[in-house]
């Protein structure tokens, strides 16, 4: 297929590389900032522009990868209402004027980190069967798992992803600071993090929960809370999460 990428950030970068590797033709990259558009276009060996009115009418599909609060604004400026324009958001639906569908890769993206998108599920939704057929074909060219989800299902998936990924990563950051406060290296808990991630690949997370809260070990909980006395905000967070675990079980 012939594809134009609207956006030059993390998602657009990884999708562009995957599409090109799969044999698709990247016609153009658009970004509000010409420099950013040029950087991605150079790596994909295609044209670029920072003026949405200068988009080529040649592509079969336009992939809009911008922050959620910019989707509507950008879609309203899209110059080809008869063309297929899809966004990559987990929470925005098909209610945006001009949007034909959704192409949501279920992954966290950073430009500096290489990813194998063949292992990344792609959630798609189309305003009609023709758009869905095209998105299934496009998704299947870069991923081994493409699923049709409605907007409510995709929103649930995105909320779950925030809990599993963004919140977990934030807790890793907190753990790193706690260790650094006692001149300890974060890599001491690398094996623990890895084992936790591996266990949930073949088990329900609820069935493999460990720690003082699920054991009802109040003595250890009290010691941890005492350790956190000097950081009231962190102490409250520890208490709330521990209580959530207790309530859950």
């Amino acid at each position: 297929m012939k594809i134009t990428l609207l956006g030059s950030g993390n998602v657009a970068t990884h999708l562009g590389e995957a599409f090109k590797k799969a044999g698709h033709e990247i016609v153009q990259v658009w970004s509000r900032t010409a420099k950013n558009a040029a950087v991605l276009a150079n790596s994909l060996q295609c044209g670029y522009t920072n003026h949405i009115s200068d988009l080529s009418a040649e592509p079969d599909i336009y992939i809009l990868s911008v922050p959620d609060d910019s989707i509507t604004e950008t879609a309203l400026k899209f110059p080809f209402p008869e063309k297929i324009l899809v966004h990559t958001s987990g929470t925005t639906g098909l209610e945006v004027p001009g949007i034909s569908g959704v192409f949501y890769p279920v992954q966290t993206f950073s430009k500096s980190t290489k990813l194998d998108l063949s292992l990344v599920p792609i959630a798609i939704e189309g305003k009609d069967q023709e758009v869905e057929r095209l998105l299934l074909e496009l998704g299947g060219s870069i991923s081994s798992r493409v699923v049709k989800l409605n907007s409510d299902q995709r929103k649930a998936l995105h909320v779950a992803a925030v809990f599993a990924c963004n919140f977990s990563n934030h807790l890793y950051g907190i753990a790193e600071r706690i260790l650094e406060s006692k001149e300890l290296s974060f890599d001491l808990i690398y094996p623990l993090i890895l084992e936790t991630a591996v266990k949930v690949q073949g088990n329900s997370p609820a069935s493999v929960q460990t720690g003082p809260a699920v054991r009802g070990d109040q003595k250890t909980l009290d010691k941890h809370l005492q350790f956190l006395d000097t950081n009231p905000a962190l102490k409250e967070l520890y208490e709330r999460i521990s209580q959530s675990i207790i309530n859950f079980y």
Side-chain angles (χ1 to χ4, degrees):
M1 293 182 197
K2 293 184 177 181
I3 301 167
T4 278
L5 300 172
L6 303 181
S8 57
N10 295 329
V11 177
T13 297
H14 281 279
L15 285 179
E17 292 171 352
F19 289 145
K20 187 174 178 64
K21 184 178 178 180
H24 300 290
E25 179 185 348
I26 309 299
V27 175
Q28 204 172 25
V29 171
W30 168 86
S31 176
R32 286 195 181 96
T33 306
K35 180 181 178 181
N36 293 343
V39 169
L40 181 54
N42 183 58
S43 71
L44 298 175
Q45 300 179 312
C46 68
Y48 72 91
T49 182
N50 65 327
H51 300 291
I52 202 163
S53 58
D54 291 339
L55 287 175
S56 167
E58 184 183 359
D60 303 300
I61 187 169
Y62 298 76
I63 309 288
L64 178 59
S65 299
V66 296
D68 280 21
D69 58 6
S70 297
I71 291 175
T72 299
E73 175 191 353
T74 309
L76 287 173
K77 294 177 181 177
F78 183 64
F80 309 117
E82 74 285 357
K83 290 284 191 173
I84 296 176
L85 173 67
V86 304
H87 67 67
T88 57
S89 168
T91 54
T92 304
L94 297 177
E95 70 277 3
V96 179
I99 290 295
S100 307
V102 182
F103 191 88
Y104 167 51
V106 189
Q107 185 54 281
T108 175
F109 293 98
S110 299
K111 289 181 182 179
S112 59
T113 304
K114 290 292 183 183
L115 284 172
D116 181 1
L117 259 69
S118 69
L119 304 176
V120 175
I122 307 289
I124 66 102
E125 182 179 11
K127 68 176 183 179
D128 56 43
Q129 289 185 342
E130 178 56 26
V131 173
E132 283 193 350
R133 182 200 62 77
L134 185 143
L135 293 178
L136 285 169
E137 180 183 342
L138 182 62
S141 70
I142 64 170
S143 171
S144 60
R145 188 173 187 187
V146 184
V147 293
K148 289 198 298 182
L149 302 181
N150 62 39
S151 294
D152 283 343
Q153 289 173 318
R154 191 176 64 258
K155 189 178 295 183
L157 178 59
H158 194 250
V159 171
V162 168
F163 271 96
C165 172
N166 305 138
F167 289 179
S168 294
N169 191 72
H170 177 59
L171 294 177
Y172 295 156
I174 290 173
E176 183 178 38
R177 287 192 178 181
I178 290 171
L179 290 167
E180 287 175 346
S181 74
K182 297 301 179 182
E183 299 181 349
L184 296 169
S185 174
F186 183 57
D187 63 16
L188 285 169
I189 61 172
Y190 281 178
L192 175 67
I193 292 170
L194 179 60
E195 176 63 14
T196 304
V198 168
K199 277 198 296 189
V200 299
Q201 303 299 312
N203 301 279
S204 165
S207 71
V208 291
Q209 181 71 46
T210 62
V214 75
R215 295 195 307 268
D217 184 352
Q218 192 60 48
K219 196 172 286 188
T220 297
L221 291 173
D222 289 342
K223 288 179 180 178
H224 289 178
L225 291 169
Q226 184 179 14
F227 175 85
L228 295 169
D229 270 341
T230 56
N231 192 326
L234 210 53
K235 181 177 181 179
E236 181 184 2
L237 180 62
Y238 184 99
E239 285 183 300
R240 286 181 177 273
I241 294 177
S242 295
Q243 190 59 52
S244 178
I245 293 172
I246 292 167
N247 295 344
F248 192 89
Y249 292 92

